[in-house]
Amino acid sequence: MKLSKHLVRRIIVLLLVLITPSLIGRGGVGLAQLRFNLGNNSPIRKLQIAEMAINNLYVDTVDESKLVEDAIRGMLKELDPHSTYATPKEVKAMNEPLQGNFDGIGVQFNMIEDTLIVIQPVVNGPSEKVGIMPGDRIVAVNDTAIAGVKMSKEEIMKRLRGKKGTKVKLGIVRRGIHDQLTFIVTRDKIPVKSVDAVYMVRPGIGYIRITNFGATTYDEFMEGVATLQKQGMRDLLLDLQDNGGGYLQAAVQIADEFLQKNDLIVYTQGRKQGQRSEFRANGRGKLIDGKVVVLINEFTASAAEIVTGAIQDQDRGTVVGRRSYGKGLVQRPIDLPDGSMIRLTVAHYYTPSGRCIQKPYKKGDLRDYEMDLDNRLKHGELTNPDSIHFSDSLKCFTLRKQRVVYGGGGIMPDFFVPLDTLQYTRYHRQLSAKSIVLNASLRYIDNNRKQLRSRYPSFEQFSQQFSVPQSLIDEIVSEAEKQKVKPKDDAEMQRTLPYLKNQLKSLVARDLWDMSEYFHIANEQNHIYQKGLEVILK
């Protein structure tokens, strides 16, 4: 059966509507620059007719939106691993941590069994302003019970969040008060922090950990730098472990703070010869002097690799850890009218010495790409530097000291720190995977918050004097036995205890203060951090 000209025209118009606004909105080509070949042999026309035929003639009813989404996913699947399609819901979830805020009530919370417990209200946030306190249990939202009804965490968050300026009624149960309390909270913009930790390691040495590169990362970072410099910081441990990347601009701004005027930070190269963009330092950075050690691991990716590569190639600092992930493809977001998005790869990232950050991949073979880290572990790369081999064709040189560095994917550190596969026992991993440790720490804080605050008015006192009580360990062991989790023998238990106690102390510190205090404790047993400290002290 032949399609009518009307139907063919309709699908052509639909595609033009889909493509054109998104390209204009993102600084891409406009309608006047788009040239569609709509002849009989045009691939676009072929796709249009196929979609229209299926939607109008197929024997069963089809979901046209899903049909189009599947077609888009199918096309992108045959490209590189980072060209992707996201639904409107996925776009919102993806953008939230990068945009730096969301609308909500402003509390850090966790779940004990099926009850929401406030860990900390956001400072000056809407909940703190009306008097909600750490340890409060939120049991109802707008007169609907959320405790004791097995409501999912996602559903609870959906009820708590809402547009800025809207009000929500919360039912609160507070220790020591018999009656349920009621608070009316006016939702507001809640900041999402991308700088996890800022603290002085010891006199003259500061530490900053960045979890991703978002819209507010540079401002957060510079605020942290100012705080540490007031405390006498000269040298910096910059922790980019597990940092999956984010906005290029944020990475460039932060790298700029370390480099001399006109130092190349990164350049991108597209398909055509003229599609090269360079990013250079302005020479006005606050961190041009002093030692810098960058901490990375196999999950350090994308924008985090840009910062690392710039500091290493310009001989500005030392890199410690394990070879980074190797994500060096530049995506351009293409917004579609329904709120969905295509993230299309348009260029490669290159470090100042000319190294391509992107690790090798085969188009259309996503599984092999996703197995890369498993393969690194199997081949011994994560545990033994002698297992890492580079071809001479990948050799590059740093720009000042002419040190040898290699391309071929990811950033290889100056000082390799092997992954200690025996650091955490099987028993400890099972305790964590079943949330036994987390839940026990939450109950401990909930029951002892006032006493702990009174006994340790400052984090310094807590860090020096607090030790995990045996009763907490006993509770964890007992709960684990109920869930059929047991150590193989006493030797495994003894190997588990030092790391378990460190984890518990870190969690208690986090819930009494914040993430800076958490990492202050946790880093005591982070091998990459310890090696970085050793390097910066030389």
Side-chain angles (χ1 to χ4, degrees):
M1 184 182 292
K2 191 172 181 180
L3 291 177
S4 69
K5 291 182 180 179
H6 170 73
L7 290 179
V8 173
R9 281 198 300 270
R10 200 182 110 196
I11 191 68
I12 291 172
V13 169
L14 174 64
L15 282 173
L16 287 173
V17 169
L18 283 172
I19 295 171
T20 307
S22 61
L23 290 174
I24 294 173
R26 291 286 176 177
V29 291
L31 179 59
Q33 295 170 281
L34 289 173
R35 296 184 180 181
F36 291 95
N37 174 11
L38 298 178
N40 289 332
N41 295 322
S42 163
I44 292 179
R45 187 166 186 267
K46 187 176 179 180
L47 180 65
Q48 295 163 351
I49 293 173
E51 191 278 337
M52 210 64 184
I54 294 169
N55 190 47
N56 287 274
L57 304 177
Y58 184 63
V59 62
D60 295 323
T61 302
V62 295
D63 183 334
E64 186 175 9
S65 296
K66 186 175 185 303
L67 201 65
V68 172
E69 286 186 0
D70 289 345
I72 294 171
R73 292 184 196 276
M75 287 187 286
L76 295 175
K77 184 180 177 183
E78 297 304 313
L79 304 179
D80 63 276
H82 297 290
S83 287
T84 57
Y85 169 81
T87 64
K89 185 177 180 181
E90 290 168 340
V91 170
K92 184 178 180 182
M94 183 172 57
N95 285 341
E96 199 168 79
L98 296 178
Q99 290 172 342
N101 60 66
F102 64 91
D103 294 352
I105 66 168
V107 294
Q108 298 175 36
F109 71 89
N110 225 314
M111 305 293 293
I112 295 183
E113 296 166 353
D114 62 353
T115 302
L116 184 155
I117 294 185
V118 176
I119 303 300
Q120 296 283 355
V122 173
V123 176
N124 294 324
S127 289
E128 186 186 66
K129 287 177 180 177
V130 298
I132 292 175
M133 300 169 61
D136 283 351
R137 289 159 166 73
I138 301 179
V139 297
V141 179
N142 289 330
D143 296 324
T144 299
I146 63 169
V149 294
K150 300 189 183 303
M151 187 178 290
S152 70
K153 191 173 181 178
E154 291 73 22
E155 179 63 24
I156 291 172
M157 289 177 66
K158 182 179 177 182
R159 292 173 182 272
L160 292 175
R161 291 187 178 185
K163 290 185 179 180
K164 176 182 177 180
T166 59
K167 297 182 184 298
V168 60
K169 183 167 78 169
L170 303 180
I172 299 284
V173 171
R174 180 173 295 169
R175 277 183 174 274
I177 299 179
H178 179 70
D179 296 327
Q180 181 175 307
L181 306 175
T182 299
F183 293 90
I184 305 296
V185 180
T186 302
R187 298 183 180 99
D188 203 347
K189 290 289 181 187
I190 308 303
V192 178
K193 296 289 186 181
S194 55
V195 172
D196 270 345
V198 175
Y199 65 85
M200 290 296 291
V201 178
R202 58 184 61 189
I205 301 175
Y207 170 89
I208 298 179
R209 179 184 174 93
I210 305 175
T211 190
N212 62 44
F213 288 88
T216 62
T217 304
Y218 175 70
D219 290 337
E220 291 177 48
F221 176 75
M222 293 312 297
E223 183 180 334
V225 168
T227 298
L228 295 179
Q229 287 181 336
K230 287 178 182 176
Q231 297 176 42
M233 180 185 74
R234 298 184 304 274
D235 306 324
L236 176 65
L237 284 168
L238 177 60
D239 193 347
L240 301 181
Q241 294 177 84
D242 304 321
N243 184 316
Y247 292 152
L248 168 64
Q249 188 58 36
V252 168
Q253 287 177 304
I254 287 174
D256 194 351
E257 293 296 322
F258 296 94
L259 302 177
Q260 303 286 340
K261 185 175 178 61
N262 288 326
D263 279 354
L264 183 61
I265 296 171
V266 66
Y267 67 91
T268 64
Q269 180 66 56
R271 181 171 62 183
K272 297 179 181 178
Q273 191 63 34
Q275 292 179 334
R276 170 167 168 151
S277 298
E278 292 187 352
F279 300 86
R280 294 183 176 273
N282 61 30
R284 298 192 296 270
K286 296 282 189 1
L287 296 164
I288 292 177
D289 300 316
K291 295 179 184 178
V292 179
V293 170
V294 184
L295 311 179
I296 65 170
N297 64 8
E298 59 275 16
F299 299 108
T300 302
S302 190
E305 294 175 290
I306 289 172
V307 174
T308 306
I311 288 174
Q312 187 180 55
D313 281 7
Q314 295 291 356
D315 290 299
R316 173 63 188 90
T318 306
V319 180
V320 173
R322 292 184 288 276
R323 180 163 72 95
S324 62
Y325 184 85
K327 197 269 186 186
L329 298 175
V330 185
Q331 280 75 51
R332 173 176 291 175
I334 300 171
D335 295 319
L336 302 177
D338 64 347
S340 60
M341 176 193 290
I342 293 173
R343 298 184 76 245
L344 188 66
T345 296
V346 296
H348 286 84
Y349 289 123
Y350 292 87
T351 69
S353 68
R355 290 183 286 168
C356 179
I357 295 172
Q358 179 61 41
K359 62 187 176 185
Y361 63 88
K362 295 178 183 177
K363 288 184 177 179
D365 191 350
L366 185 60
R367 174 169 172 75
D368 183 65
Y369 189 79
E370 290 175 338
M371 293 297 291
D372 177 64
L373 292 181
D374 287 335
N375 292 333
R376 288 195 206 181
L377 182 59
K378 286 179 184 176
H379 297 153
E381 180 187 321
L382 299 181
T383 56
N384 189 343
D386 294 336
S387 300
I388 305 168
H389 304 285
F390 293 102
S391 167
D392 283 345
S393 64
L394 300 174
K395 187 183 292 186
C396 295
F397 298 91
T398 61
L399 302 186
R400 286 181 168 80
K401 298 181 180 178
Q402 295 297 298
R403 295 182 299 117
V404 174
V405 288
Y406 288 93
I411 304 295
M412 188 66 190
D414 301 303
F415 289 90
F416 178 82
V417 179
L419 176 66
D420 185 353
T421 56
L422 300 177
Q423 180 176 6
Y424 297 104
T425 64
R426 176 198 56 84
Y427 180 57
H428 192 175
R429 289 195 297 271
Q430 287 184 312
L431 292 175
S432 296
K434 290 180 177 289
S435 299
I436 296 170
V437 179
L438 177 62
N439 289 335
S441 73
L442 288 172
R443 283 192 294 268
Y444 175 75
I445 282 287
D446 192 41
N447 292 327
N448 298 279
R449 186 182 299 274
K450 285 186 177 180
Q451 300 93 307
L452 290 168
R453 281 288 194 189
S454 175
R455 187 178 304 170
Y456 309 108
S458 72
F459 172 70
E460 289 70 23
Q461 289 172 295
F462 174 87
S463 178
Q464 294 169 12
Q465 300 171 18
F466 177 82
S467 60
V468 175
Q470 185 60 41
S471 59
L472 181 53
I473 300 295
D474 293 342
E475 179 186 339
I476 290 171
V477 172
S478 175
E479 178 60 32
E481 287 180 354
K482 291 178 185 176
Q483 299 190 36
K484 297 183 172 21
V485 175
K486 296 181 180 181
K488 183 175 66 174
D489 49 32
D490 187 62
E492 185 178 32
M493 173 62 86
Q494 294 309 313
R495 290 201 312 275
T496 299
L497 285 175
Y499 299 103
L500 176 59
K501 288 179 178 179
N502 177 268
Q503 182 184 10
L504 287 165
K505 186 172 180 178
S506 301
L507 290 169
V508 173
R510 179 199 67 180
D511 292 353
L512 287 177
W513 288 278
D514 210 335
M515 292 302 292
S516 288
E517 290 74 17
Y518 171 88
F519 281 104
H520 206 302
I521 302 294
N523 281 336
E524 292 174 6
Q525 293 183 340
N526 182 304
H527 298 326
I528 291 177
Y529 171 89
Q530 294 299 330
K531 182 62 178 180
L533 182 57
E534 176 188 319
V535 169
I536 210 167
L537 286 170
K538 287 183 178 177

